[in-house]
Amino acid sequence: MSTLLQNNQIISGELTQQSYSIDTFLGAGTQGEVYRAQANGRDVAIKWYFPHYIQNDLQLRQRLENAIRKGSPDNNFLWPLELVTQQNNNTSFGYVMPLRPNNFKSIVDLMRRRAEPSFHALISACLALSESFLQLHAKGLCYRDINFNNVFFDPNTGDILICDNDNVDVNGATGAINGTPRFMAPELVRGDSPPNTESDLFSLSILLFYMLMLHHPLEGKREASIRCFDQSAMNKLYGTEPLFIFDPQDNSNAPVVGLHDNALVYWVLYPQFLRDVFTRAFTTGIEDQHGRIRENEWRVILINLRDSIFYCRCGGQNFYDSDSVKNGENQKCWACNHSLVYPPRLRINNAVVMLNHDTKLYPHHTDQSQKFSFATQQAAVIRHPQDPNRWGLQNLSTNAWTITLPDNSIKTVEPQRSVNLTAGIGINFGNTVAEIQV
Amino acid sequence: MEIIKRPGGAMANRPLHFFWLADCSGSMYGEKIEQLNYAIRNAIKPMQDVAADNPNAQVMVRAIKFSTGAQWHIATATPVEEFKWDNLTSNGVTDMGLALQLVAEQLDVSQMPERCLPPVLVLVSDGQPTDDFNAGLAALMSKPWGKKSVRIGIGIGQDVDLEVLQKFIGNPEVKPLQANNAEDLVKYIRWASTVVLQAASAPASQVKDQVSTGVVPIPQAPIASDVEADDVW
Ligand SMILES: Nc1ncnc2c1ncn2[C@@H]1O[C@H](COP(=O)(O)OP(=O)(O)O)[C@@H](O)[C@H]1O
Ligand SMILES: [Mg+2]
Ligand SMILES: [Zn+2]
């Protein structure tokens, strides 16, 4: 229900003098209301501020003007495009931004299980988030309010969109928003320090944990012992006495069966390297700002995590954990409980890429000088056209590969040709070498 | 067959008990009670939307009506998705104290689940209590869940005893809201059932220097509209 603007009302752009016609109301937040609007047959979104909010946030206009001038850090932000004002009304103003398409769902939908991405799509969304926040932070900016309601994702593809960019400011600037409870770093909850890049990184770790585990990393026994979950309880849990539910040194805040089941289910499902990084994020990273996990580390971890997905014959996506394989553990599928059979895999330096029926390799995998590039497919797992029992890795790049067979003989794999997925074959992609393991 | 993509259930959450306490005394007769009925019906959908967007809470609604005596209007805690409003009618005196006694009984630890979010109590009245309000308030505050509740007071018209509402709220930083016309009443009722509901379960972005004492920080209430002559009670 809208309270500020009416249907068909015309407001005008400060930069372009464009007239925007207000269409439907999309939603309200703490700072204002968001509407769909049209200009020249094009759909956009317009956020219009509550007059009382503007009075509390004196830097707002200046901050928005800066953001508009600098432009979006990348394509995943619903970034302010221009300010809008209304004739004969100077009590408020707003800004135009791209409209979020309907295929994007909120993180709340993910938490309530109204959006069900595959692990692959979910991890892609986590990766895209880390990359976009890296772009924003690299520009010297601070986001200040990473939370459930400001991030959207496409459950089919893992594409993401980040909205509510009106609090973004130069790192260190004083702003009006301190963050959202449950996401704020402990030093912010305690009021010890204002938001900065490091507190954004803490919030990002919380969001990633929520997305991957559907649970908050600090809500264990201590949460269970609280009857009324009010402000003082939150201050304690997230501010003065934060303790990771899987702290290896202190199990006094462990998850409680029946209350925190998602944490218990998901924690053991993922590989050790993911548990290790979350453990650092919420042990050393909890009090020490220097201990926060940075986006470029998340990128590596999340790509490795996505590359470790393989399929059970029931279709369930599981994770290959080289640590548990080394320990000779018998891994069962979480979906059907059958013992899992590992597909062939490719070891590239310290990373393992599962060679599933649908695996593709990108420059990130095949070219050391192009880490994090997923621009073009460089290789794909394919089935032999005549012999359905034979699988290979097809060269989709423009360069020949050199392969070393187990008997040390050397062959070339020209573009479009394929190499058998046979144990012990080494592949030299050019400046990167890999080995097929079965 | 649709394969299950990921294990586990929905994110863990807690119940949030929401209580309407509505004045149905004779002075509410006519337009006022109808406007209150309208305002609450109007707030149902926004309230459901806020609840649906909040993974931290499972919102349960109940309602008490008070005039000569106090009774349950909605006695069973109803999931907000199923919440409907049967119109109230008015006549009798203003036994507000008894209404507080009634809600206090339900806020006893023996009646409440072990773990909850702070309960929300929204008291709407157009006058002053005719019974022992202080005894009712004392009964409410004697319950731990009563003390932990988030209390909002909405006054209708000029005759409301704002001091009593302020006492009920029990937090000097949160003022009673005085609705002088139907439009304001709609706004305030909606604010209580959406913004306050949200604040009690998953506080939104923390605006610097906002009211932060009390059980949970309560964001600013909407501002009264310009009064139009024919819309004044
Ligand atoms: N670009 C957009 N396209 C579609 N919906 C949007 C867009 N930006 C915000 N919204 C919706 O508008 C509502 C309020 O937006 P938000 O910016 O979070 O408000 P606030 O910052 O005041 O809390 C939310 O429901 C959000 O999903
Ligand atoms: Mg917001
Ligand atoms: Zn299976």
Side-chain angles (χ1 to χ4, degrees), chain A residues 26-32 34 45 47 78 97-100 149-150 152 163-164 166, chain B residues 205:
Chain A
L26 294 173
T30 41
Q31 297 162 294
V34 177
K47 179 160 179 175
L78 296 169
M97 66 187 136
L99 181 68
R100 164 165 48 86
N149 294 308
N150 292 343
F152 298 86
C163 79
D164 216 355
D166 46 4
Chain B
S205 311

Side-chain angles (χ1 to χ4, degrees), chain A residues 196-208:
Chain A
N196 57 23
T197 305
E198 266 45 50
S199 57
D200 271 2
L201 290 177
F202 184 85
S203 307
L204 177 63
S205 295
I206 297 270
L207 181 61
L208 294 175

Side-chain angles (χ1 to χ4, degrees), chain A residues 25-36 44-50 53 78-79 95 97-101 106 145 147 149-150 152 161-167 177, chain B residues 53 204-205:
Chain A
F25 169 74
L26 294 173
T30 41
Q31 297 162 294
E33 296 178 344
V34 177
Y35 297 81
R36 184 166 63 199
V44 294
I46 285 180
K47 179 160 179 175
W48 194 261
Y49 291 101
F50 295 125
Y53 178 75
L78 296 169
W79 199 257
Y95 69 86
M97 66 187 136
L99 181 68
R100 164 165 48 86
S106 76
D145 198 13
N147 71 60
N149 294 308
N150 292 343
F152 298 86
L161 286 172
I162 299 169
C163 79
D164 216 355
N165 296 296
D166 46 4
N167 304 311
I177 293 282
Chain B
D53 275 347
S205 311

Side-chain angles (χ1 to χ4, degrees), chain A residues 330-349:
Chain A
N330 174 17
Q331 201 185 341
K332 298 241 168 69
C333 171
W334 60 262
C336 71
N337 209 34
H338 279 105
S339 284
L340 288 164
V341 181
Y342 300 122
R345 45 209 176 271
L346 198 62
R347 177 167 284 279
I348 310 172
N349 300 323

Side-chain angles (χ1 to χ4, degrees), chain A residues 117-377:
Chain A
S118 65
F119 275 116
H120 194 279
L122 181 64
I123 295 163
S124 297
C126 292
L127 173 61
L129 270 175
S130 308
E131 300 198 315
S132 288
F133 282 115
L134 184 148
Q135 294 306 326
L136 181 131
H137 287 143
K139 292 197 148 54
L141 300 173
C142 172
Y143 183 82
R144 293 170 168 269
D145 198 13
I146 296 177
N147 71 60
F148 280 157
N149 294 308
N150 292 343
V151 171
F152 298 86
F153 76 112
D154 180 336
N156 292 315
T157 61
D159 290 342
I160 59 130
L161 286 172
I162 299 169
C163 79
D164 216 355
N165 296 296
D166 46 4
N167 304 311
V168 174
D169 205 344
V170 178
N171 188 32
T174 50
I177 293 282
N178 268 343
T180 297
R182 295 185 172 88
F183 290 87
M184 280 154 78
E187 67 272 17
L188 268 62
V189 177
R190 294 191 301 260
D192 294 347
S193 95
N196 57 23
T197 305
E198 266 45 50
S199 57
D200 271 2
L201 290 177
F202 184 85
S203 307
L204 177 63
S205 295
I206 297 270
L207 181 61
L208 294 175
F209 193 91
Y210 257 135
M211 289 172 73
L212 292 169
M213 317 273 177
L214 302 192
H215 192 76
H216 192 286
L218 307 177
E219 292 176 7
K221 265 187 206 154
R222 288 184 182 178
E223 185 269 342
S225 71
I226 295 166
R227 285 178 154 252
C228 182
F229 203 76
D230 62 1
Q231 182 69 48
S232 63
M234 286 195 270
N235 287 345
K236 201 167 123 185
L237 219 52
Y238 310 124
T240 55
E241 297 172 26
L243 180 63
F244 186 36
I245 54 175
F246 295 111
D247 190 318
Q249 311 296 323
D250 183 348
N251 67 3
S252 66
N253 196 27
V256 177
V257 177
L259 291 177
H260 310 129
D261 290 342
N262 280 342
L264 294 163
V265 166
Y266 282 106
W267 184 247
V268 293
L269 208 77
Y270 293 112
Q272 187 61 39
F273 66 81
L274 185 76
R275 287 192 286 272
D276 288 344
V277 73
F278 273 128
T279 302
R280 277 200 290 122
F282 301 121
T283 55
T284 45
I286 227 164
E287 287 307 333
D288 181 8
Q289 288 208 346
H290 302 284
R292 307 261 153 96
I293 309 297
R294 313 197 73 81
E295 293 99 341
N296 47 13
E297 184 169 358
W298 280 125
R299 288 212 280 184
V300 175
I301 295 284
L302 292 165
I303 292 171
N304 289 347
L305 182 63
R306 194 173 58 183
D307 284 341
S308 61
I309 291 173
F310 68 100
Y311 297 90
C312 171
R313 55 182 177 177
C314 77
Q317 294 185 346
N318 287 267
F319 293 90
Y320 180 83
D321 185 350
S322 52
D323 290 295
S324 86
V325 172
K326 260 181 236 143
N327 296 339
E329 288 166 32
N330 174 17
Q331 201 185 341
K332 298 241 168 69
C333 171
W334 60 262
C336 71
N337 209 34
H338 279 105
S339 284
L340 288 164
V341 181
Y342 300 122
R345 45 209 176 271
L346 198 62
R347 177 167 284 279
I348 310 172
N349 300 323
N350 291 323
V352 177
V353 182
M354 305 309 282
L355 296 173
N356 303 310
H357 64 92
D358 57 356
T359 296
K360 317 277 183 237
L361 302 183
Y362 297 88
H364 171 80
H365 303 105
T366 60
D367 182 350
Q368 279 181 4
S369 68
Q370 291 199 66
K371 280 275 166 232
F372 309 116
S373 165
F374 289 84
T376 53
Q377 290 182 11

Side-chain angles (χ1 to χ4, degrees), chain B residues 3-24:
Chain B
I3 60 159
I4 318 169
K5 291 177 174 168
R6 289 164 25 260
M11 194 185 105
N13 61 21
R14 287 177 175 235
L16 185 156
H17 288 280
F18 189 105
F19 296 86
W20 293 107
L21 292 94
D23 185 340
C24 295

